Structures are given as C-alpha cells and as structure tokens.
Amino acid sequence: MDIQASDKLSDSARRRDKLENAILAAATRLFAECGFEGTSIAAVAERTGISKQNLLYYFPTKNSLYKRVLDDVLDDWLERMAHLADPGAEPADVLRAYVAAKLRFSREQPWASRVYAMEVIGGAKFYGDQIRERVVPLLRRDIDVFEGWMADGRIARVDATHLLFALWAMTQSYADFAAQMTLVLGRPELTGDDFEDAERLIGDMVVRAVATAA
Amino acid sequence: MDIQASDKLSDSARRRDKLENAILAAATRLFAECGFEGTSIAAVAERTGISKQNLLYYFPTKNSLYKRVLDDVLDDWLERMAHLADPGAEPADVLRAYVAAKLRFSREQPWASRVYAMEVIGGAKFYGDQIRERVVPLLRRDIDVFEGWMADGRIARVDATHLLFALWAMTQSYADFAAQMTLVLGRPELTGDDFEDAERLIGDMVVRAVATAA
DNA sequence: GTCTATAATCGGATAGAC
DNA sequence: GTCTATCCGATTATAGAC
C-alpha cells in the first residue's frame, strides 16, 4: 500500500518533472534569443507544445519561470566548476582544466550562457542578489587560489582578478558572440574543431601569462 | 535673403539634431539596460523629456530608432578602430594600441557596447546583415594582418582568428560584464585604475601570446 | 491537470487640431 | 513640430468548468 502510493506519487512527480524540464528548456532558449520582455509565455508554451494556461499552472508567473531558468543555469554551472581550483594541483593543469570546463559549458549550454549574459549586461537588476551570494564567493575563492600560487612562487605575479576576468570573458564569448564568430568564420555554426582551436589558444595564453621567466 | 533663409534652415536643423541626439542617448541606454522589447518608446520619450508622440515625429517607428542607435554605435566604433591594423608597424605596438582602443570604447561608451552585445547574443536577427557588411570585413582584414606578420616571422604562429576573438572578448567584457566585475571587486563601479590594470594584463597576455621563442 | 473565457493593462502607431 | 485623443493588437494573469 505504502509502496503503491509512493509509486503513484513518484510517477506523477516524474511526469511533472518531465514537463517542467521541457518548459524550462524552451524558456531558456527563448529568453536567450529574445530577452525577458521579448519572450511571451505564450511563445514558451507553444514551443513546449502545451497551452499558455497550462504553463501558468506549472509556473504561476513569468517572473517565477525566469527565476527558475536562471537558478538552473547557475546550478549546472556551479556544479561543473566547483572542484576545479585545487590549490595543491599543478597550476598550469588547473588553468587549462578551468578553460576547458568553461568552454565546454559554452558549447553544450549556449542558451544557458546567453540567458545569464543578458541578465548581467542589463545590469543584473533581477538576479544581482543571487550573483552576489552564489557566484562572487566562488570567483573570489578562485582568485585567492591564484594569489596563493603567486605567493608560493609557483606562477608569475599578475593581477589575479583581471586574469580571471580575462579567462571568463574569452571562454564565455564562444557562447555569447557565436553569432558574430560564425559570420567571421563563414560557417553556419561553430564546430568541434573551432572549440578545440579555442581551447588550445586560450589555454596557451593563460598558461603563458603566468609562466615564470625561467 | 539667401543667407537668412539658409541660416534659418540650419538653425532648425541644429535644433533638430540636438533633440535627435538626446533621444538617441536615452534610447541607447535603455536598449542596453532592458533590451529591444523591454524598452518602450514611452520610456525613451520620458527620459528625453518629450512626449511619446513627439518622439514618433523624429523616429516614426521603434525599429527605425533601434536601427539608428545601432548604426551610430557602429559608426563610432569603426571610426576608432579603422586605422589601427597597420601591417608595417611594430606588431606588439599595434596589438597594445588595439587593446587600449577597444578598452577605451568599453569605458567611454558602455551603453553602446552593451546594445551591440545584446543584439549579437540574441543571434543578431535584426542587425546581422550590417554586421556581415561592415564589421566582418574589418575583422577579416585584421586577421590577415596578423597572419602576414606570422608569414614574415615577425610574431609566433598562433591561430589569428581566435586570437582576435580573445582580444575582442577580453576588452568587450569590461563593458558587458561590468555589473558582475563590480560585485567581485566590491566597488560601485569600475574605476580608471581598474581599466589600467586591465589594459596592462590584457596587453601583456596578447603580446606574450605571439612572442617568438627567442 | 487541462481547458474555455475573460479581465485588465500596456505598447506601438495613427489622425487631426493648432 | 508639438499636442490631444484614440485605435488596435498583444500580453500577463485570473476565474471557473470539467
């Protein structure tokens, strides 16, 4: 009885999750392409294949949908980046792994990257508090690791904060500025080779930036 | 008589230009903060200090206003960047000047940078043709200059296209991601010192990236 | 949970007087 | 060139039947 009941419950919960995720996938893409105000919940519903009113059953307001999209973007990103800055590991390896992980996110979740970027460019008026609470501490911790390496003489002395800004910017741009890059490259979209070229160049640049004179 | 008539004309033309520029300044900022759909012409009019209907006299549609904002952004940027890639000059000097010019644009025209960035992130659905016609040829020319230097052995062989992407991304981000940077730095806004630090680090990174082994 | 219907508001754009 | 008035479509959100 208990088992059956819980099966029923988890069945409907699973169903609900599946539809929720479909809505969130559609919303992420549309928010990235059109911005918050440029995206109507009707458009999200249509792309999900449900009615607008049904969508409003799952997410009672447009704001709650947007918030959830940003939360999921951040959860996914934080999970991928959490363990990277290991102070004990070889600095060059950590830096290359960092670049690779962030580029991979740009490649696999371009819409997520772009939603986040749009929010930040607009001044993070909606999501600034969450960025302060969840993103900034992580970036500060990474900067501390870099500075620890400098103090120990394991890498050259550079401005650790701006190094991280540079690393972030270079990798992020393969999602955010993909539309311009494809025009320059004359391709319909970025390829795996493009991301390999990017990883090599950015990795080399970052590692050389902190290479000791020796 | 002719003189008086032309004076009158240029007077009203000047008045018109002044108001037009005020509208464009307000629109640039609002489009950057809220995106195209997030910005109402009523909001632009209010910030300019005129009525919505009067704004529509100067720009008959919202699209025409947006187009004009992007045109002006591009004109300003192209004018600053046009003469930089001189194949005969010292590569390191050209690269540092390029970084400095683009950072300066990020600092002096952050709203312009952000409007452009928003349009590109959204897929450049509105302005893609203009980017293809006016921006891409310039970037291709710069890439050609870099590759010429490599062919002549003046700089190390790297992927010139991705090097330019990296340079663009690092400098652009000081306008686009300023909201996040200020949170990390714990400042209300980026300072002149921040831009100097950025210019030094990015300049060093780019120059080292193409430094010959010698 | 999903549907029909609808309320309430806002935004872009036009017409016409002055 | 500027103002008043207004139309019309789209959008968020709610109410209530099934």
Side-chain angles (χ1 to χ4, degrees):
Chain A
M1 278 264 270
D2 278 320
I3 291 168
Q4 273 204 324
S6 91
D7 270 355
K8 243 185 190 169
L9 197 67
S10 79
D11 242 32
S12 98
R14 237 176 277 133
R15 211 178 294 269
R16 189 192 169 91
D17 272 13
K18 203 177 166 191
L19 187 46
E20 248 188 37
N21 286 333
I23 294 169
L24 287 166
T28 304
R29 170 154 184 172
L30 285 167
F31 281 138
E33 280 185 348
C34 311
F36 177 75
E37 282 92 350
T39 301
S40 69
I41 53 178
V44 177
E46 190 184 6
R47 176 169 267 268
T48 310
I50 62 174
S51 72
K52 179 176 75 167
Q53 294 83 352
N54 197 6
L55 189 154
L56 283 166
Y57 172 77
Y58 288 90
F59 296 94
T61 65
K62 190 180 174 180
N63 269 351
S64 69
L65 175 60
Y66 184 56
K67 170 88 160 64
R68 177 63 184 281
V69 165
L70 284 170
D71 283 343
D72 284 6
V73 167
L74 208 48
D75 287 344
D76 188 6
W77 182 76
L78 290 173
E79 199 181 343
R80 289 164 184 249
M81 308 302 286
H83 52 291
L84 282 175
D86 171 5
E90 196 58 40
D93 295 341
V94 172
L95 289 170
R96 282 192 195 273
Y98 205 120
V99 169
K102 199 140 184 329
L103 266 181
R104 205 173 155 207
F105 188 72
S106 288
R107 181 167 191 207
E108 293 176 359
Q109 304 291 341
W111 311 114
S113 276
R114 288 171 201 155
V115 172
Y116 185 84
M118 281 226 181
E119 171 65 18
V120 173
I121 293 177
K125 295 186 292 288
F126 183 86
Y127 211 61
D129 289 343
Q130 289 295 308
I131 293 175
R132 203 191 323 270
E133 283 175 33
R134 302 186 64 198
V135 180
V136 169
L138 210 88
L139 296 180
R140 287 240 180 87
R141 201 204 56 181
D142 294 341
I143 291 167
D144 287 345
V145 171
F146 294 174
E147 286 176 345
W149 289 337
M150 292 177 209
D152 296 342
R154 300 182 69 191
I155 61 172
R157 285 203 176 278
V158 300
D159 191 311
T161 306
H162 289 273
L163 178 67
L164 190 67
F165 289 168
L167 200 165
W168 178 294
M170 288 189 284
T171 51
Q172 181 86 17
S173 72
Y174 283 85
D176 304 347
F177 278 80
Q180 185 166 270
M181 291 175 175
T182 54
L183 289 178
V184 172
L185 292 166
R187 282 196 249 296
E189 55 182 19
L190 297 178
T191 67
D193 283 349
D194 293 327
F195 278 90
E196 282 179 32
D197 292 343
E199 185 174 335
R200 201 174 306 121
L201 181 91
I202 299 170
D204 288 349
M205 273 184 86
V206 172
V207 168
R208 288 188 90 165
V210 298
T212 50
Chain B
M1 279 262 269
D2 277 324
I3 292 167
Q4 272 203 323
S6 91
D7 270 357
K8 243 185 189 167
L9 198 66
S10 80
D11 243 32
S12 96
R14 238 174 278 134
R15 209 178 294 271
R16 187 191 170 92
D17 271 12
K18 203 178 168 190
L19 187 47
E20 247 188 37
N21 286 333
I23 294 169
L24 287 166
T28 303
R29 171 155 183 172
L30 285 168
F31 282 137
E33 279 184 349
C34 312
F36 176 74
E37 282 93 351
T39 302
S40 69
I41 53 179
V44 177
E46 190 184 6
R47 177 170 265 269
T48 311
I50 63 175
S51 70
K52 180 175 78 164
Q53 295 81 352
N54 197 6
L55 189 154
L56 283 166
Y57 172 77
Y58 288 91
F59 296 94
T61 65
K62 191 181 176 183
N63 269 352
S64 69
L65 175 60
Y66 184 55
K67 170 87 159 65
R68 176 64 183 282
V69 165
L70 284 169
D71 283 343
D72 283 8
V73 168
L74 208 47
D75 287 344
D76 188 5
W77 182 76
L78 289 173
E79 200 180 343
R80 290 165 184 247
M81 307 303 284
H83 52 292
L84 282 175
D86 171 4
E90 197 58 40
D93 295 340
V94 171
L95 289 170
R96 281 193 195 274
Y98 204 120
V99 169
K102 199 142 182 328
L103 267 181
R104 205 172 155 208
F105 188 72
S106 287
R107 180 165 194 209
E108 294 176 357
Q109 304 291 341
W111 311 113
S113 275
R114 288 170 202 156
V115 173
Y116 185 84
M118 283 238 185
E119 170 65 18
V120 173
I121 293 175
K125 294 186 293 289
F126 184 84
Y127 210 61
D129 289 343
Q130 289 294 308
I131 293 175
R132 203 190 322 269
E133 282 175 33
R134 300 185 65 197
V135 180
V136 169
L138 210 89
L139 296 180
R140 288 241 179 86
R141 201 204 55 183
D142 293 342
I143 292 167
D144 287 344
V145 170
F146 294 174
E147 288 178 343
W149 289 337
M150 293 177 207
D152 297 344
R154 299 182 70 189
I155 62 172
R157 285 204 175 277
V158 299
D159 191 311
T161 305
H162 290 272
L163 179 66
L164 189 67
F165 289 168
L167 200 163
W168 178 293
M170 289 190 282
T171 52
Q172 181 85 18
S173 71
Y174 282 84
D176 303 347
F177 279 78
Q180 184 165 272
M181 291 175 175
T182 56
L183 290 178
V184 173
L185 292 166
R187 286 195 244 297
E189 54 182 19
L190 296 178
T191 67
D193 283 349
D194 294 327
F195 278 90
E196 281 178 32
D197 293 342
E199 185 174 335
R200 201 173 307 120
L201 181 91
I202 299 170
D204 287 350
M205 274 184 86
V206 172
V207 168
R208 286 187 91 166
V210 298
T212 50

